[in-house]
Amino acid sequence: MKLSIIILTLTATLVGCGEKVDATEAQINECKQLIYSHNRYEPSRMDYVDMRSDGSIIIKYHRKTSSKTWTLRCHKGKPQVWAEGGKVWIDI
């Protein structure tokens, strides 16, 4: 966990300097597993989208029961979903 914090801090620092930094494969997998552990959303249905300057990792989840996708993120160790109607992130 400490290594993840160091990596996220370093990444956020580099992004703040104008450098475009993508999340590592390990960070993406950690985010997918965090989402899975909270909601049992299948990681195979998740696609990495972006890493934001605050260190958040954005994931698209393709729903099994419909053709819709949800936007999820891992932010400060918490999985969140984008509530389109309210234009806010909600912890899941």
Side-chain angles (χ1 to χ4, degrees):
M1 189 64 168
K2 287 182 183 181
L3 181 58
S4 295
I5 292 169
I6 291 169
I7 290 171
L8 286 175
T9 303
L10 177 60
T11 301
T13 302
L14 290 174
V15 170
C17 294
E19 300 270 336
K20 174 69 174 141
V21 178
D22 281 330
T24 65
E25 198 67 35
Q27 289 171 311
I28 295 166
N29 289 334
E30 185 178 320
C31 180
K32 288 179 179 183
Q33 286 303 314
L34 180 65
I35 293 167
Y36 176 77
S37 71
H38 280 259
N39 294 79
R40 297 296 185 235
Y41 296 160
E42 286 296 321
S44 63
R45 297 185 156 284
M46 297 179 205
D47 291 318
Y48 168 74
V49 175
D50 192 20
M51 182 174 210
R52 300 290 165 89
S53 61
D54 65 359
S56 297
I57 295 175
I58 308 298
I59 300 283
K60 287 285 186 183
Y61 175 70
H62 307 282
R63 294 186 60 196
K64 195 176 202 175
T65 56
S66 71
S67 61
K68 299 194 185 254
T69 60
W70 290 345
T71 303
L72 306 167
R73 77 174 179 176
C74 295
H75 180 70
K76 298 182 180 178
K78 293 182 182 177
Q80 298 178 320
V81 64
W82 178 249
E84 186 64 37
K87 305 285 188 220
V88 295
W89 289 102
I90 299 173
D91 291 346
I92 55 175

